[in-house]
Amino acid sequence: MTGGATRRGQTGFVVGFLAPAVLIYGLFVVWPLIQAFAMSLYNWQGISMDRQFIGFKNFIDLKADSDFHHALINNLLLLFVGGGVSLGLALLIAHALQDSGKLSKTMRSFVLFPQMLSLVVVALLWKFIFNPRSGLVTSAMNALHLGQYAKTWLADAHTALTAVGISFVWWACGFYVMLFTAGIRAIPQEVGEAAELDGARGILRFRQITWPMLWSIKRIAIVHVTITVMNVFVLVYLMTRDGQTSTDMMLTLLYRNAFKFSKYGYATSVAVANFVVVMILSALILFAFRKNPETSR
């Protein structure tokens, strides 16, 4: 066979394998996104087929909607505080439990346990923990003679978002511990041995070896936690009964407009805005992590 024929055969082979995946992705991801954007241009109640084309009016209204601004700020707060704490805590735990001993394996299993639970279970569990009458938090404060400071965490506008953030960190941390653990184990053993010979142990080893060599893992983790936080719904909805507007997120706002106010077109514009925010944040993260010190690129 000639070189050209060989290349054409290789191209046909690659196209044949990629075509089903591309078709499925286009059918179930790209096409629904196009339909969602198209729906956001209509005034539609979601019940009948009657709908009125209004162009970008939904997005203009969204820009002036204080509820949308509040939900976006809450999402960003949960991302930068809750997501940041989750990643930082996970990295420290992964570094502390990087040996392969039985104790480290057991501790990693305990940390990963929340990830095995459904978010519905996590939400109900933490709702019980923050119960103002019989919850673990109230009981602990009473045991410490601090009962006068006990409050209805999930009903108080000043503490509800904090309570949701605590439950999110508890649930999300284990996944990132496993992610960082895999990254640490991928670091060449001779690098760690050389660092120990040079006296780099504990925090010094973390700063000089672990931190810079987890560049690609950190990028993946930050993008993942961004997508997770921006799409959080069940945790907030079940913990606050969708009645605590101080914890409103983008998707709870979407749900309320679609299923309570029957404003499907407007709700879809919220979904499109959420998608755009996620894409912008992901692009900024990838840009910030564009130069990998591991490969000097």
Side-chain angles (χ1 to χ4, degrees):
M1 293 179 66
T2 63
T6 302
R7 284 192 295 272
R8 284 195 297 271
Q10 291 175 344
T11 302
F13 179 79
V14 172
V15 171
F17 267 89
L18 290 180
V22 172
L23 180 62
I24 292 173
Y25 184 82
L27 184 62
F28 293 103
V29 178
V30 177
W31 178 240
L33 287 175
I34 295 173
Q35 286 186 310
F37 179 76
M39 191 184 300
S40 68
L41 304 178
Y42 287 85
N43 179 19
W44 183 43
Q45 294 185 346
I47 300 173
S48 66
M49 293 302 294
D50 296 330
R51 56 184 185 177
Q52 178 188 6
F53 181 79
I54 56 175
F56 292 96
K57 186 179 184 303
N58 283 328
F59 293 99
I60 295 173
D61 293 343
L62 199 65
K63 184 179 178 181
D65 190 350
S66 59
D67 290 339
F68 172 74
H69 298 160
H70 184 69
L72 178 58
I73 290 172
N74 281 344
N75 265 118
L76 294 178
L77 279 174
L78 185 60
L79 172 60
F80 289 108
V81 179
V85 171
S86 298
L87 294 181
L89 188 61
L91 184 56
L92 292 177
I93 294 174
H95 179 73
L97 302 177
Q98 60 182 293
D99 62 88
S100 57
K102 290 184 178 180
L103 179 60
S104 294
K105 291 181 179 179
T106 303
M107 292 302 296
R108 281 197 295 270
S109 298
F110 277 116
V111 173
L112 186 62
F113 172 73
Q115 278 288 312
M116 301 169 62
L117 301 176
S118 164
L119 263 180
V120 175
V121 175
V122 173
L124 295 177
L125 173 64
W126 279 94
K127 191 172 182 178
F128 176 76
I129 290 175
F130 284 114
N131 187 292
R133 295 183 178 179
S134 57
L136 182 62
V137 173
T138 302
S139 299
M141 296 186 78
N142 288 333
L144 296 172
H145 304 289
L146 298 174
Q148 65 272 25
Y149 298 106
K151 58 178 70 179
T152 53
W153 283 73
L154 294 175
D156 192 323
H158 298 94
T159 57
L161 188 59
T162 301
V164 171
I166 291 171
S167 63
F168 176 82
V169 171
W170 181 82
W171 171 75
C173 186
F175 174 80
Y176 299 108
V177 169
M178 294 298 103
L179 188 62
F180 287 128
T181 299
I184 291 173
R185 290 190 173 184
I187 298 175
Q189 186 176 357
E190 56 270 19
V191 175
E193 293 174 351
E196 289 187 2
L197 290 176
D198 291 338
R201 294 182 176 86
I203 191 64
L204 185 61
R205 176 174 176 174
F206 174 81
R207 185 169 60 87
Q208 295 184 349
I209 303 297
T210 305
W211 178 255
M213 297 197 74
L214 286 178
W215 190 260
S216 57
I217 298 296
K218 287 184 290 186
R219 178 175 56 190
I220 294 171
I222 296 174
V223 171
H224 185 275
V225 79
T226 298
I227 296 172
T228 302
V229 171
M230 293 305 297
N231 289 285
V232 68
F233 171 75
V234 173
L235 199 62
V236 178
Y237 181 79
L238 291 181
M239 287 186 68
T240 61
R241 295 182 182 177
D242 194 37
Q244 180 56 268
T245 56
S246 65
T247 60
D248 237 352
M249 300 289 169
M250 299 275 274
L251 295 192
T252 58
L253 180 66
L254 182 157
Y255 177 87
R256 187 163 61 249
N257 278 283
F259 298 103
K260 288 196 172 183
F261 303 144
S262 296
K263 297 165 60 177
Y264 277 77
Y266 189 75
T268 308
S269 69
V270 177
V272 172
N274 186 63
F275 173 76
V276 172
V277 171
V278 171
M279 294 300 293
I280 291 174
L281 291 175
S282 299
L284 291 175
I285 294 166
L286 294 176
F287 178 79
F289 282 80
R290 67 191 183 282
K291 293 183 179 179
N292 190 342
E294 300 174 25
T295 56
S296 301
R297 293 197 300 268

